Amino acid sequence: VNFRGEIQFQNVWFAYLDEDWVLKDLSFKVNPGETVAFVGATGAGKSSVINLISRFYEFQKGKITIDQTDIRSIELSLVRQKTAIVLQDVFLFSDTILNNITLGDPDISKEKVIEASKAVGAHDFIMTLPGDYDYHVGERGGVLSVGQRQLLAFIRAYVYDPDILILDEATSSVDSGSEIMIQKATEKLTEGRTSIVIAHRLSTIQQADQINVMEAGEIVETGKHEELLQIKDGYYKHLYDMQFKENEK
């Protein structure tokens, strides 16, 4: 079973506690193969959106569908199997680079991993490590930079070839060299598959098919990058101008 990857939220209300709503009457639609980004301040509800799609939590009201089927009636293992999530804090095991990518799945060959690494742009840095793909990563990936750990998570997602990709793109703490690599990896990974990106740096989502700006659990602005910049005194424009100024320093 493969998902086409259409995702729809219809009037979704969600709270972690009682009626302390984190998402309020949220509605949006992602068409198959589209990249849809979510931006907004911390606590705006962006992470809750991805938690509900991967069913780490259950929502209280409304409806979420994948390919027009209620998400609650799709087997949980199937949702998880067809969805890859690249989180901000990449978890690495004390094991080889290869095993950290395949997660011990014997169906994923080393050739496939190398092909994925090249596609994502990480092959060169892996080859500089002593033992390259057999290099043993210490607890939590000690010697690797934040950007390099992030790239390993991208390869991990790539080899699993998911129908739906969720990126909590954490380029906030990486150097500019890694950021360019991560941006390229993002483009490669989102190609032709439904992708939901939580964006921290707006430079990474200018090509998104749709950008939803969230504030206090609601979508306050939606559109493409250029359209959102046209909104006078808009939230997105304000965010963009602030980041742009910071980058010029």
Side-chain angles (χ1 to χ4, degrees), residues 64-113:
I64 298 176
T65 59
I66 295 180
D67 296 349
Q68 295 170 359
T69 304
D70 192 317
I71 195 166
R72 288 175 168 162
S73 63
I74 303 171
E75 210 168 304
L76 185 58
S77 58
L78 186 66
V79 175
R80 300 258 170 96
Q81 197 186 338
K82 294 293 176 189
T83 308
I85 306 177
V86 178
L87 290 173
Q88 215 166 346
D89 191 18
V90 180
F91 188 83
L92 294 177
F93 301 93
S94 185
D95 204 333
T96 62
I97 294 251
L98 186 68
N99 289 344
N100 263 294
I101 292 168
T102 63
L103 300 177
D105 185 335
D107 293 338
I108 300 171
S109 67
K110 186 172 180 178
E111 287 70 41
K112 192 172 177 183
V113 170

Side-chain angles (χ1 to χ4, degrees), residues 18-197:
D18 303 330
E19 294 202 352
D20 187 3
W21 302 112
V22 182
L23 299 178
K24 304 165 191 164
D25 203 22
L26 192 69
S27 296
F28 66 87
K29 185 180 177 190
V30 185
N31 294 313
E34 273 188 348
T35 295
V36 173
F38 286 85
V39 301
T42 306
K46 306 183 299 292
S47 300
S48 300
V49 170
I50 59 179
N51 282 337
L52 293 184
I53 294 171
S54 28
R55 287 196 54 201
F56 292 132
Y57 293 93
E58 295 294 340
F59 50 98
Q60 285 80 3
K61 293 191 270 188
K63 192 177 184 185
I64 298 176
T65 59
I66 295 180
D67 296 349
Q68 295 170 359
T69 304
D70 192 317
I71 195 166
R72 288 175 168 162
S73 63
I74 303 171
E75 210 168 304
L76 185 58
S77 58
L78 186 66
V79 175
R80 300 258 170 96
Q81 197 186 338
K82 294 293 176 189
T83 308
I85 306 177
V86 178
L87 290 173
Q88 215 166 346
D89 191 18
V90 180
F91 188 83
L92 294 177
F93 301 93
S94 185
D95 204 333
T96 62
I97 294 251
L98 186 68
N99 289 344
N100 263 294
I101 292 168
T102 63
L103 300 177
D105 185 335
D107 293 338
I108 300 171
S109 67
K110 186 172 180 178
E111 287 70 41
K112 192 172 177 183
V113 170
I114 292 172
E115 186 192 319
S117 304
K118 286 179 175 167
V120 168
H123 180 67
D124 291 348
F125 108 74
I126 294 173
M127 292 311 287
T128 63
L129 299 168
D132 53 83
Y133 286 87
D134 295 322
Y135 176 73
H136 207 282
V137 179
E139 262 325 297
R140 302 201 59 76
V143 293
L144 301 177
S145 73
V146 177
Q148 290 170 336
R149 294 208 296 267
Q150 194 83 23
L151 283 167
L152 290 184
F154 275 90
I155 305 168
R156 202 186 263 174
Y158 195 93
V159 294
Y160 273 87
D161 195 18
D163 294 333
I164 295 169
L165 176 71
I166 295 174
L167 291 182
D168 187 349
E169 64 94 328
T171 48
S172 42
S173 47
V174 306
D175 56 90
S176 53
S178 297
E179 189 189 356
I180 293 164
M181 282 172 84
I182 286 171
Q183 205 163 337
K184 283 189 177 146
T186 305
E187 281 165 25
K188 188 73 194 166
L189 207 54
T190 53
E191 225 169 72
R193 61 167 57 94
T194 303
S195 308
I196 290 181
V197 182

